[in-house]
Amino acid sequence: DGGITQSPKYLFRKEGQNVTLSCEQNLNHDAMYWYRQDPGQGLRLIYYSQIVNDFQKGDIAEGYSVSREKKESFPLTVTSAQKNPTAFYLCASSSRDRLYEQYFGPGTRLTVT
Amino acid sequence: DQQVKQNSPSLSVQEGRISILNCDYTNSMFDYFLWYKKYPAEGPTFLISISSIKDKNEDGRFTVFLNKSAKHLSLHIVPSQPGDSAVYFCAASPSGTYKYIFGTGTRLKVLA
């Protein structure tokens, strides 16, 4: 079964700790994305990557970092510099042929206390 | 500055009737539009898309209409079913980019 997996589904961390969210896809998609969703808001783009070893900042990249060492993996690190890290994080991917149609993973809800 | 707006946070419709979800945008550089459906605690799923060269796209019970002069698109669901109850997001992409701007979503409740 092809798809995008994010783990874990729920994650709890203490303030001041860095945390890395996993995103893996076996769809052979070139592009991958990270979004954040807060209550009552749309999805906001954190980072995106068009190809391996390349990524660009989205609209709210401050306090986050990513890597794209493999085509199928795009982990997101939420650093202690992120002022409001508690949110629902969504990873997505899209193919070169249909760039406009993104496929989303199930999401990770991060709670920082 | 919200470039994609969904001004109705919620909508209730009787089963079997038409659901109309609206979306407005401000950036004339947007040339591709998408609708996603999202259930609680899950990722959005792609529903239907439309490019700026069209004014209508249909897929089963779902039809998207685009009015470029008004910078407005709408999603029609006919007939509405209880399983359609979810949050619907519209999204827009400027030409030649990978970036998507999402609206804040409309929660649709289809009443049995």
Side-chain angles (χ1 to χ4, degrees), chain A:
Chain A
D1 266 281
I4 302 176
T5 56
Q6 290 184 245
S7 60
K9 196 165 179 66
Y10 299 96
L11 191 53
F12 298 88
R13 280 292 182 271
K14 293 289 185 187
E15 200 173 310
Q17 293 179 333
N18 290 355
V19 58
T20 297
L21 281 59
S22 163
C23 178
E24 305 276 329
Q25 54 99 0
N26 60 3
L27 300 165
N28 199 33
H29 284 172
D30 293 293
M32 295 187 75
Y33 314 79
W34 274 104
Y35 290 90
R36 166 184 173 137
Q37 187 188 14
D38 294 283
Q41 296 200 36
L43 281 64
R44 292 183 291 167
L45 183 65
I46 304 172
Y47 267 98
Y48 63 105
S49 168
Q50 302 175 33
I51 55 171
V52 173
N53 292 323
D54 183 62
F55 48 82
Q56 283 80 43
K57 292 181 179 180
D59 299 318
I60 54 165
E62 187 176 345
Y64 299 98
S65 66
V66 293
S67 63
R68 187 86 187 276
E69 297 174 4
K70 298 186 295 182
K71 187 176 185 178
E72 57 270 20
S73 178
F74 191 41
L76 173 75
T77 297
V78 184
T79 75
S80 56
Q82 167 50 233
K83 290 183 175 34
N84 296 297
T86 295
F88 188 52
Y89 290 88
L90 287 158
C91 178
S93 69
S94 61
S95 72
R96 190 189 299 271
D97 298 335
R98 299 175 77 92
L99 282 171
Y100 295 109
E101 294 175 14
Q102 294 184 341
Y103 292 84
F104 284 83
T108 292
R109 181 162 299 280
L110 173 65
T111 302
V112 176
T113 56

